[in-house]
Amino acid sequence: MIPWVLLDKVTINGGDELRLMRRGEEFSILSGSTTLMNSRMSGSEKALAELAFARVGGRAKCHVLIGGFGMGFTLRAALACLGADARITVAELVPAILAWARGPMAHLSAGCLDDPRVTIREEDVRKTIAGGRYDAILLDVDNGPDGLTQDANDRLYNLAGLHAARKALRSGGVLAVWSAAPSPKFTRRLQSAGFSVEEIKTRANSNGKGPRHIIWLARAG
């Protein structure tokens, strides 16, 4: 059995610690004992982009916001779905995530950070939402609306945060939200914010296996 090796760690959110681990060719990012991301489980992160663009695809000069870079799987899927005239803004609050993507996990990023369609902003995604107009907003932040950092979640996923996202979407745009677990109250909150909502179950792995994750597709009127 190949052991896990600690490659780096960083303190965030006033004391929480993120750790980058490697076991052979497998990478994992942990917060405490909770696995936030694993390189073997990319299926639902890719689906976040693919499902959203199935609903807004074909728009000229499509502008997309991705909140949370993770290991880059959602960004890579978005680039594969979108044309040369598209723009993708990626908001990532933790600089170390981007440093790891350019360093030990560069082969996973596969150059997506340097694609001319991509703009990286190291900031809270709420600020990025407030500063633009988008055809799609894809959020994979803190394991979903009932994730680990409740204060940060509340500001992004509460009713005020959802109204801000809806205001930032162009007509017919889609807010896509990834979650590690279901949340009926979040579905109701999206509806209360004026979205029409689909809730889709998807598997963590691209081969259709692994844990079940949830993607909400919320369309603005």
Side-chain angles (χ1 to χ4, degrees):
M1 186 76 169
I2 301 174
W4 285 101
V5 176
L6 175 65
L7 298 183
D8 197 11
K9 59 184 178 180
V10 60
T11 300
I12 61 169
N13 296 330
D16 293 339
E17 186 178 83
L18 293 185
R19 289 174 290 133
L20 175 63
M21 309 292 294
R22 179 174 183 170
R23 181 174 64 185
E25 294 303 311
E26 180 182 0
F27 292 85
S28 191
I29 297 176
L30 290 83
S31 175
S33 61
T34 301
T35 299
L36 299 180
M37 300 159 238
N38 183 280
S39 60
R40 292 175 56 247
M41 298 183 184
S42 60
S44 59
E45 284 83 357
K46 294 174 183 176
L48 180 65
E50 293 165 354
L51 290 169
F53 299 136
R55 287 147 180 83
V56 298
R59 294 189 179 198
K61 298 181 179 180
C62 190
H63 188 191
V64 177
L65 170 61
I66 297 176
F69 177 78
M71 291 184 174
F73 297 120
T74 298
L75 176 57
R76 287 177 62 181
L79 289 168
C81 289
L82 295 171
D85 64 346
R87 291 186 296 143
I88 303 176
T89 300
V90 177
E92 175 53 60
L93 184 60
V94 182
I97 294 289
L98 298 172
W100 296 340
R102 295 186 183 278
M105 295 191 293
H107 65 291
L108 296 180
S109 300
C112 67
L113 289 169
D114 300 316
D115 190 290
R117 293 171 288 177
V118 176
T119 299
I120 305 297
R121 297 181 64 171
E122 293 185 12
E123 64 185 17
D124 190 320
V125 69
R126 292 179 302 129
K127 180 178 179 181
T128 324
I129 288 172
R133 293 280 285 168
Y134 306 99
D135 297 284
I137 298 173
L138 315 181
L139 297 180
D140 182 357
V141 177
D142 196 24
N143 263 16
D146 296 325
L148 303 173
T149 309
Q150 196 60 47
D151 288 345
N153 267 18
D154 285 346
R155 293 191 295 271
L156 181 61
Y157 293 124
N158 66 12
L159 198 56
L162 295 178
H163 277 301
R166 187 169 181 267
K167 183 179 179 181
L169 285 168
R170 296 183 174 126
S171 179
V174 169
L175 170 65
V177 179
W178 182 97
S179 179
S183 176
K185 65 182 180 181
F186 183 65
T187 302
R188 294 191 294 270
R189 197 179 307 145
L190 284 165
Q191 293 167 339
S192 295
F195 289 102
S196 58
V197 183
E198 296 177 73
E199 183 178 328
I200 297 177
K201 295 180 176 68
T202 184
R203 291 283 191 171
N205 297 339
S206 296
N207 62 5
K209 298 181 179 180
R212 287 182 173 87
H213 295 155
I214 301 296
I215 293 174
W216 287 274
L217 298 168
R219 188 180 292 272

